[in-house]
Amino acid sequence: METVGAYEAKTHLPKLLERVFKGERITITKHGVPVAVLQPPDPEKIVDTQSVIIELRKFRDRHSLGELSIRGMLEEGRR
């Protein structure tokens, strides 16, 4: 795995992304300390957007705020 400095990563981000697209993994450092890793997405963790929406709707149907409302909570937070 290659290591590049933060400045170089900022300057050459499009090139680095092309390399990551091809399967490489690149560590970004700041003053020699690793701060991030650019890597291709894990195919097992990619989730279909529609299935996430369906799950959120199911969650909403099973849970309620009772007497509370989102509008009321927003107003309370502004006080």
Side-chain angles (χ1 to χ4, degrees):
M1 176 173 18
E2 184 178 345
T3 301
V4 299
Y7 179 80
E8 181 183 351
K10 180 184 78 159
T11 305
H12 300 289
L13 184 60
K15 291 178 185 176
L16 293 175
L17 291 176
E18 274 300 314
R19 291 172 53 194
V20 169
F21 179 73
K22 293 176 183 174
E24 283 188 59
R25 226 178 116 141
I26 301 168
T27 300
I28 299 174
T29 62
K30 190 169 186 177
H31 304 294
V33 178
V35 293
V37 176
L38 290 176
Q39 66 183 27
D42 184 354
E44 294 177 7
K45 293 185 179 181
I46 295 175
V47 181
D48 174 47
T49 306
Q50 192 61 35
S51 65
V52 171
I53 292 169
I54 290 168
E55 290 302 314
L56 284 170
R57 287 182 176 154
K58 286 180 186 177
F59 179 85
R60 181 185 62 192
D61 292 342
R62 291 189 313 263
H63 298 81
S64 81
L65 296 173
E67 298 292 318
L68 297 173
S69 71
I70 293 175
R71 169 78 54 209
M73 289 188 286
L74 288 171
E75 292 301 324
E76 181 70 26
R78 291 183 180 140
R79 294 184 196 160

